[in-house]
Amino acid sequence: QGKALNQKVKQVINQKTKVKLHTSLDSSKLNQVNVYFNFLNYALLAGGVYCMTMILASLNQEGVRKRTIMSSFSYRKYNWIVFASLGLASFIVWLAYMIISFILFKEIMLSGNGIAYILNSFVFSICSLAVGFLIGTITHNKQAIGGIVNVVALGTSFLCGCFVPFEYMPDYVLKIAHILPTYYYVANNQLIKTMEVFNFESIKPLLINGAVIVISSFIFVAVTNYVSKRKQIIN
């Protein structure tokens, strides 16, 4: 009985089974698109935010700032006008990167995955705008701005999986990354890369992560308003 059982086990082990994976996704292309959009975090923060903060530094020069303070504009109204103007500049920067993505990955960008990547990056571009507005309000020193932007852009990119995939990062680093909006942006990119069906259940995690990014943007704007108000009172 023992020998017969061993023989049957060997027969089962020696059997070859063919496994076919049916997927409509072009994994190779999607990996390239994913790397591009992950790197976009650094591009939007290092490039877009740097431009915005430099504009803010010019607006906050002593002569310009004093004329603004003496005007009838409230700090909230002034901030929202400046924020809207910078939003246009941020949109132009984001649009330029989207045009490049269409040139490089036209087929993917016209698919459901591509549209999801576009929407996710657009939401994050709003957050990067809020970050730039905050940095530009905190300091008007053009030399200091460059250093701060580099620290923010590189720091978030390394901590949140833009350069190194999540699976290769220590758990304690990922726990720290959870407090940063970039983490949720990259997490969405990772989800989009593997999605074949787009319905409410499948996009629900994307919506939750996107909501975190939007809430973070509102927090940055609120802090900016507070800092701006305190500076006007001091001055």
Side-chain angles (χ1 to χ4, degrees):
Q1 288 183 353
K3 287 183 178 179
L5 182 62
N6 282 337
Q7 263 194 335
K8 287 182 179 179
V9 170
K10 285 179 180 178
Q11 286 176 356
V12 172
I13 292 172
N14 290 329
Q15 286 179 358
K16 293 182 179 180
T17 305
K18 291 183 179 180
V19 178
K20 292 184 178 179
L21 296 175
H22 297 281
T23 177
S24 60
L25 295 176
D26 187 341
S27 301
S28 176
K29 278 285 183 184
L30 276 169
N31 278 329
Q32 293 175 30
V33 177
N34 196 66
V35 169
Y36 177 87
F37 276 89
N38 281 350
F39 183 79
L40 199 58
N41 168 78
Y42 178 78
L44 288 173
L45 289 176
V49 171
Y50 183 76
C51 292
M52 288 184 285
T53 49
M54 284 300 179
I55 293 170
L56 281 172
S58 298
L59 288 174
N60 285 303
Q61 287 178 354
E62 189 174 356
V64 179
R65 181 166 47 82
K66 284 182 177 179
R67 284 195 293 272
T68 304
I69 293 170
M70 291 173 64
S71 70
S72 58
F73 272 57
S74 69
Y75 75 94
R76 280 194 182 89
K77 188 174 181 181
Y78 172 77
N79 279 349
W80 279 113
I81 291 173
V82 174
F83 189 75
S85 301
L86 294 177
L88 179 60
S90 177
F91 176 76
I92 292 170
V93 171
W94 170 81
L95 185 61
Y97 284 111
M98 292 307 101
I99 291 170
I100 294 170
S101 72
F102 270 90
I103 293 171
L104 296 174
F105 316 107
K106 184 180 178 181
E107 289 182 8
I108 297 292
M109 298 314 297
L110 292 173
S111 67
N113 300 79
I115 293 168
Y117 275 120
I118 290 169
L119 292 174
N120 188 44
S121 65
F122 180 74
V123 171
F124 185 75
S125 71
I126 296 171
C127 186
S128 67
L129 168 63
V131 171
F133 200 29
L134 176 59
I135 295 172
T137 304
I138 290 172
T139 178
H140 308 147
N141 187 321
K142 291 184 178 181
Q143 284 72 34
I145 284 172
I148 294 171
V149 170
N150 272 328
V151 169
V152 171
L154 282 173
T156 57
S157 295
F158 277 110
L159 283 173
C160 300
C162 296
F163 299 151
V164 181
F166 286 146
E167 54 266 30
Y168 300 121
M169 298 176 68
D171 289 339
Y172 72 90
V173 173
L174 290 177
K175 287 178 181 177
I176 296 170
H178 274 73
I179 65 174
L180 301 169
T182 296
Y183 173 85
Y184 300 94
Y185 166 70
V186 175
N188 269 357
N189 286 341
Q190 297 302 112
L191 289 170
I192 294 167
K193 184 176 72 171
T194 59
M195 290 177 71
E196 292 189 61
V197 178
F198 290 85
N199 52 40
F200 180 74
E201 284 302 316
S202 64
I203 68 171
K204 191 175 179 181
L206 300 181
L207 296 175
I208 293 170
N209 289 338
V212 174
I213 297 171
V214 171
I215 291 168
S216 300
S217 303
F218 279 113
I219 292 171
F220 290 135
V221 172
V223 173
T224 301
N225 278 329
Y226 175 77
V227 172
S228 178
K229 184 179 180 181
R230 293 292 302 172
K231 284 197 170 188
Q232 283 199 4
I233 291 171
I234 293 170
N235 293 326

